[in-house]
Amino acid sequence: MRVVVAGSSGLIGTALVAHLRGAGHEVLRLVRRTPAAPDERGWDPPAGTIQDGTLDGADAVVNLNGAGIADRPWTGARKQLIRDSRNVPTDVLAAAVARHGVPVLVSGSAVGYYGDTGDHVVDESAPSGSGFLADVCRDWEAAAAPAADAGARVVLVRTGLVLSPSGGLLAMLRPLFKGFLGGRIGKGTQYMPWVSLDDQVSAIRFAVETDGLSGPANVTGPVPVTNSEFTREMAAAVGRPAPFPVPGPLVSTVLGEMGREMLLGGQRAVPAALLEAGFQFRHHTVGDALSAAVGT
């Protein structure tokens, strides 16, 4: 297949491009600068333009755009950037998919769509929740609607916390745990919807290739865990104790809304749509995923 990938330079995008090529697919990467390689095509989301011919003969478009949500405080300007960096590119890509008759759009989203679900299990049939991230995800998914309206098969990839050996969440946690500074956050009863990077990119490829999959799809490990359980498995993976719990009020005071939504809340999300469509996870437990990611 010929697959056009937007957001190919990020943690997931870089791994996805290599994974798709390893499976025999041709990949074109959208870049926001002057193209400098044969597989690159230029585009300018704010201007609504994509280089001529980019989608000619394309079998699928994968949309992984979006500024980081945990690397900077949620100021008003940052929150607007988080929204715009998702909605604007998705608007452009969905319109282009519709205009060129591309059969498939796999577009990013996140399990933040559900808000804080406590200990309630949520699959793709659950309604959207409350909070900033839920609002972002609703608008992000709605931006892909023109492609579906035009007849494309649209898969909305509701991603969890991606566990990678080369960056992301573990890049922040590993030094803390190795330095004996790891510990549960707050009460530790909030759920952490984890997924290994291997399974993340495999699930996106599965979404590209599988005709029977459409609509929202939770990309999370099949066995959800609480923050306390994750902390215990992380400590075991790095061979260190995790003796220092972080009080919830401290998180709320220091990180504000971002801390309350991302660290003190969570989603007990399960990948029902993927499993029903026949996807097979490589890492079934968070212990397996952490051991693979940290090299133990």
Side-chain angles (χ1 to χ4, degrees):
M1 299 173 69
R2 171 176 283 192
V3 184
V4 178
V5 178
S8 63
S9 62
L11 177 71
I12 297 172
T14 300
L16 176 65
V17 169
H19 183 75
L20 290 172
R21 287 177 173 159
H25 298 306
E26 177 189 0
V27 179
L28 297 178
R29 299 181 295 126
L30 291 179
V31 297
R32 303 190 192 200
R33 49 173 170 71
T34 302
D39 67 335
E40 294 181 347
R41 300 294 185 272
W43 76 318
D44 183 349
T49 60
I50 300 176
Q51 183 177 328
D52 289 346
T54 297
L55 298 187
D56 292 351
D59 298 294
V61 171
V62 177
N63 169 30
L64 299 175
N65 289 281
I69 61 172
D71 50 351
R72 298 183 187 180
W74 284 1
T75 63
R78 185 64 183 179
K79 290 169 78 171
Q80 191 61 51
L81 176 63
I82 288 170
R83 291 180 181 276
D84 292 345
S85 66
R86 287 159 173 77
N87 297 342
V88 173
T90 304
D91 282 337
V92 174
L93 290 173
V97 165
R99 187 167 59 252
H100 292 273
V102 179
V104 179
L105 171 63
V106 178
S107 192
S109 184
V111 291
Y113 175 91
Y114 304 109
D116 181 9
T117 67
D119 63 356
H120 298 289
V121 177
V122 289
D123 63 15
E124 293 83 358
S125 66
S128 182
S130 60
F132 171 67
L133 293 179
D135 292 343
V136 168
C137 291
R138 278 195 302 273
D139 292 344
W140 194 5
E141 294 186 5
D149 293 342
R153 179 172 63 83
V154 175
V155 183
L156 303 167
V157 177
R158 292 177 180 166
T159 298
L161 300 168
V162 180
L163 305 181
S164 165
S166 57
L169 176 66
L170 293 188
M172 296 183 287
L173 293 183
R174 188 170 4 193
L176 294 176
F177 276 76
K178 285 193 171 183
F180 298 91
L181 297 175
R184 64 171 170 79
I185 298 174
K187 295 180 179 179
T189 56
Q190 68 275 29
Y191 274 80
M192 296 182 65
W194 64 275
V195 65
S196 72
L197 180 62
D198 284 344
D199 283 329
Q200 174 74 33
V201 298
S202 294
I204 294 174
R205 173 189 161 195
F206 183 83
V208 167
E209 296 174 343
T210 306
D211 289 339
L213 183 64
S214 65
N218 293 341
V219 182
T220 58
V223 182
V225 295
T226 64
N227 175 261
S228 289
E229 293 167 329
F230 180 92
T231 299
R232 183 171 62 249
E233 295 291 347
M234 181 69 186
V238 300
R240 300 286 193 276
F244 298 112
V246 182
L250 178 63
V251 172
S252 183
T253 299
V254 174
L255 296 179
E257 182 183 13
M258 181 174 72
R260 290 189 292 273
E261 286 204 28
M262 297 197 64
L263 298 178
L264 300 179
Q267 301 79 31
R268 192 177 182 179
V270 294
L274 280 175
L275 293 174
E276 184 177 351
F279 180 73
Q280 296 184 353
F281 283 86
R282 178 178 179 183
H283 299 114
H284 290 266
T285 69
V286 71
D288 291 341
L290 287 171
S291 293
V294 301
T296 60

